[in-house]
Amino acid sequence: MKNILLIATGGTIASQPTGSGLAPQLLAEDILLCVPALRGLCHIDAMQLMNIDSTNMSPICWLTLASCLREQYERYDGFVITHGTDTMAYTACALSYLIQNSSKPIILTGSQKSIYLQDTDARRNLYDAFIAAQDHLLCGVHIVFDSRVICGTRARKMRTKSLNAFSSIDYPDIALLRDGRILHYIRETKPVTPPIFYDQLNPRVFVLRLIPGMNPEVLRLLSDSFDALVIEGFGVGGLPCYEQEDFLSAVSAWASAGKPIVITTQVPHEGSDLAVYQVGARAAAQPGILQAYTMTVESVVTKLMWILPQTHDLEKIKQLFYTPVAHDLLLFEGDE
């Protein structure tokens, strides 16, 4: 039997009613007791690393998780992390950058309803997560939810209440789970070299969602407080002109300070392409401007947090940003 470590962090799966709404109350051992079938599946150790609503998840928590996985990595064949759904995609991305080249499965799961309820999705998701954590073909960070195995850098929560909460954005599901078995759609290449662990993140990254008529002065106001900016533009991306150059000059000020700006899109699928329209091409010509292409916002944000402690040089930032990690960046012919 394989040795699997359960790392509990809280979330809906561990929640019970309180006087002011649901809050994480159950501990790792309580969660395991709710799924007796796990006893015959593998040898499980449990660790309660934190017990928070995932709204309270932060870069400090991601570093704590990565440190725990680093300390326990040699002792176990795989890992299951129970987590709230609201920020699970961010955590999956962050761990994909903090722990690279892992030959062992690191599986995040949770639920839309608490495991203490009768009509919950928690027990099935947890059982499936342990199936995935001991699978000999899976490696690296994935989300297991609603019988699907989703690459950690491609996941996004698309529904607030439905049990099929997560989608894989512009990338196929890695596998499907049925009756305790995995049907692999994609066979991942297992690393043959040791994993690489990182222990720093820079949280000074801001996401700005454009709205029609936005005052470009907001870019200047943000520049003193943040080291990188992600702009969620319209359609395939671009910066508004409004018959003047204020947005472009505000962007230039960021570049002059050695701070990158990434332009992505508010549209969930198919990504950015600044070459299509004049408003995009003018933006792309500015120093310090990068584009997300098919990267999710979650992966863009956490990748910048991972890159910034390593270098302040815009060219090196660009090189690291455009280097694919765990399928985060899918380029078409002719792209960067």
Side-chain angles (χ1 to χ4, degrees), residues 22-254:
L22 289 171
Q25 303 283 312
L26 302 174
L27 300 180
E29 293 292 350
D30 301 321
I31 293 172
L32 287 174
L33 288 173
C34 292
V35 191
L38 290 173
R39 297 173 190 156
L41 194 61
C42 53
H43 179 269
I44 302 172
D45 289 332
M47 176 183 297
Q48 188 74 45
L49 196 61
M50 56 195 80
N51 206 14
I52 61 174
D53 188 301
S54 73
T55 296
N56 297 323
M57 191 60 62
S58 70
I60 293 175
C61 297
W62 296 334
L63 290 171
T64 299
L65 267 169
S67 176
C68 174
L69 288 162
R70 184 175 192 169
E71 291 173 2
Q72 303 296 331
Y73 192 82
E74 296 302 325
R75 297 180 55 197
Y76 296 94
D77 301 302
F79 304 88
V80 172
I81 301 170
T82 52
H83 193 291
T85 59
D86 290 345
T87 57
M88 189 187 294
Y90 282 98
T91 298
C93 287
L95 291 179
S96 296
Y97 299 119
L98 290 170
I99 307 169
Q100 297 184 32
N101 215 41
S102 172
S103 62
K104 300 178 181 181
I106 300 170
I107 307 298
L108 287 92
T109 195
S111 62
Q112 293 286 66
K113 296 183 179 182
S114 172
I115 202 166
Y116 90 96
L117 294 173
Q118 187 66 33
D119 63 336
T120 181
D121 57 329
R123 287 184 282 275
R124 169 54 59 189
N125 286 347
L126 189 64
Y127 188 85
D128 284 347
F130 275 95
I131 293 288
Q134 60 179 335
D135 186 77
H136 69 285
L137 294 179
L138 288 178
C139 55
V141 180
H142 298 83
I143 287 177
V144 169
F145 211 94
D146 190 40
S147 300
R148 300 163 65 199
V149 181
I150 300 173
C151 177
T153 61
R154 308 306 311 180
R156 173 172 290 177
K157 186 175 181 181
M158 301 293 286
R159 299 169 183 83
T160 60
K161 296 181 180 180
S162 300
L163 302 188
N164 57 337
F166 286 89
S167 293
S168 183
I169 303 300
D170 295 332
Y171 195 77
D173 292 345
I174 301 297
L176 185 69
L177 290 127
R178 284 290 181 269
D179 301 322
R181 295 183 179 183
I182 295 185
L183 171 63
H184 288 270
Y185 296 146
I186 297 175
R187 178 168 290 200
E188 299 176 305
T189 302
K190 281 218 171 193
V192 294
T193 54
I196 304 169
F197 293 90
Y198 294 85
D199 59 7
Q200 292 186 73
L201 293 171
N202 181 342
R204 289 164 57 90
V205 177
F206 191 84
V207 178
L208 176 67
R209 187 179 181 93
L210 291 185
I211 60 171
M214 177 177 284
N215 189 333
E217 184 64 23
V218 68
L219 272 70
R220 297 186 177 90
L221 295 175
L222 292 168
S223 62
D224 289 337
S225 300
F226 296 94
D227 296 328
L229 178 65
V230 180
I231 298 177
E232 287 189 323
F234 311 117
V236 291
L239 290 176
C241 298
Y242 302 136
E243 299 181 359
Q244 36 76 13
E245 302 293 322
D246 283 354
F247 259 103
L248 294 179
S249 62
V251 164
S252 296
W254 279 74

Side-chain angles (χ1 to χ4, degrees), residues 2 9 26 190 285 303:
K2 290 194 174 183
T9 68
L26 302 174
K190 281 218 171 193
K303 193 170 192 176

Side-chain angles (χ1 to χ4, degrees), residues 295-312:
M295 292 177 69
T296 66
V297 173
E298 294 88 344
S299 62
V300 169
V301 168
T302 52
K303 193 170 192 176
L304 286 170
M305 289 183 180
W306 166 71
I307 291 171
L308 290 173
Q310 300 180 56
T311 180
H312 298 290

